[in-house]
Amino acid sequence: MLEAAPTEVQESKRPPTKLLPGSPVIDVDAAERAAAALLTAFGVPEGSEAAVRTPARMVAGLAELLTASPWEFTTFPNWEDQHELVLVRDVPFTSVCAHHVLPFSGTAQIGVLPGEKIAGLSKLARVVEMFAARMQIQEELGQQIAAFLEQELDCRGVAVMLSAEHVCMTRRGVRAYGSGTITIATRGRLRDDHTARSEFFQLVRPAAGRTA
Ligand SMILES: [Zn+2]
């Protein structure tokens, strides 16, 4: 059993939350001071409404993207000997790109080849939400989800396909409007067994053409 709240906001009003190893901690006061300095550097007039109130809004908005609700990863014994692929499709997510601190969002396709344990289906979506609430790049997000599921379920295979649109690529830089990025992370038989892989990719194929 595992309690998961990946981000702790250091604020006296909130009770401390149990964290996953490696989870970020948000220092709200320091973040607001830094946001105020950033706005000043961008020429926002001192004493204006934006200079006074926007730092708190900036930090609250970013902290919200980087905070997942507490939940519990529950598993059940695989009494019915379910060994066929379990696929949860089109799980929506929004995360924050660690290179540009801009959001990227899309959908996740999660495939699991069960072993001795199975997870509640909603828990697979919760795992996506939990890891999406971190600053990272898309490749890392997929690998984190796959590694977590492999470890917690001790399953025979995991495949995670993420399809997302990145604001840092569609609205700035190359401005490739409408472009999508697909990343794949696989473990166990969904990495090594051609037949198992083919089944997963055939079932998720329609998702490959869209980002959200
Ligand atoms: Zn980026």
Side-chain angles (χ1 to χ4, degrees), residues 117-196:
K117 290 187 274 186
I118 53 174
L121 297 182
S122 69
K123 304 301 180 188
L124 300 183
R126 286 285 195 187
V127 174
V128 174
E129 184 200 13
M130 174 177 77
F131 285 107
R134 292 180 178 193
M135 222 179 276
Q136 75 237 297
I137 59 172
Q138 184 176 327
E139 293 90 327
E140 292 169 340
L141 176 57
Q143 294 295 344
Q144 288 161 5
I145 295 166
F148 178 88
L149 290 175
E150 183 184 43
Q151 186 186 322
E152 294 297 321
L153 291 175
D154 202 14
C155 51
R156 292 175 303 127
V158 181
V160 178
M161 186 176 98
L162 302 179
S163 181
E165 181 179 320
H166 292 243
V167 170
C168 61
M169 192 166 85
T170 58
R171 300 295 186 270
R172 59 157 292 285
V174 66
R175 298 194 183 186
Y177 296 105
S179 65
T181 301
I182 290 178
T183 54
I184 290 155
T186 53
R187 297 284 193 282
R189 286 191 56 200
L190 284 165
R191 179 186 59 202
D192 303 326
D193 183 313
H194 177 73
T195 308

Side-chain angles (χ1 to χ4, degrees), residues 7-208:
T7 305
E8 181 183 26
V9 177
Q10 282 187 340
E11 210 175 27
S12 51
K13 287 173 262 172
R14 302 191 190 192
T17 47
K18 203 169 166 185
L19 301 178
L20 281 177
S23 297
V25 172
I26 299 172
D27 182 335
V28 171
D29 289 339
E32 287 185 5
R33 285 194 299 272
L38 184 66
L39 290 174
T40 302
F42 272 85
V44 173
E46 278 189 48
S48 66
E49 201 275 342
V52 174
R53 300 204 179 271
T54 297
R57 288 189 288 246
M58 280 174 72
V59 172
L62 194 53
E64 187 181 331
L65 288 175
L66 296 174
T67 306
S69 338
W71 61 288
E72 203 175 275
F73 189 74
T74 40
T75 60
F76 308 92
N78 188 3
W79 297 122
E80 301 298 331
D81 212 21
Q82 164 66 29
H83 283 136
E84 300 298 329
L85 178 69
V86 176
L87 179 69
V88 177
R89 291 179 51 145
D90 298 335
V91 178
F93 71 87
T94 295
S95 190
V96 178
C97 161
H99 290 173
H100 303 97
V101 197
L102 288 169
F104 63 96
S105 37
T107 54
Q109 320 296 322
I110 313 287
V112 174
L113 279 174
E116 300 301 313
K117 290 187 274 186
I118 53 174
L121 297 182
S122 69
K123 304 301 180 188
L124 300 183
R126 286 285 195 187
V127 174
V128 174
E129 184 200 13
M130 174 177 77
F131 285 107
R134 292 180 178 193
M135 222 179 276
Q136 75 237 297
I137 59 172
Q138 184 176 327
E139 293 90 327
E140 292 169 340
L141 176 57
Q143 294 295 344
Q144 288 161 5
I145 295 166
F148 178 88
L149 290 175
E150 183 184 43
Q151 186 186 322
E152 294 297 321
L153 291 175
D154 202 14
C155 51
R156 292 175 303 127
V158 181
V160 178
M161 186 176 98
L162 302 179
S163 181
E165 181 179 320
H166 292 243
V167 170
C168 61
M169 192 166 85
T170 58
R171 300 295 186 270
R172 59 157 292 285
V174 66
R175 298 194 183 186
Y177 296 105
S179 65
T181 301
I182 290 178
T183 54
I184 290 155
T186 53
R187 297 284 193 282
R189 286 191 56 200
L190 284 165
R191 179 186 59 202
D192 303 326
D193 183 313
H194 177 73
T195 308
R197 279 178 72 86
S198 299
E199 183 185 18
F200 173 78
F201 286 112
Q202 207 156 5
L203 286 168
V204 302
R205 187 176 291 163

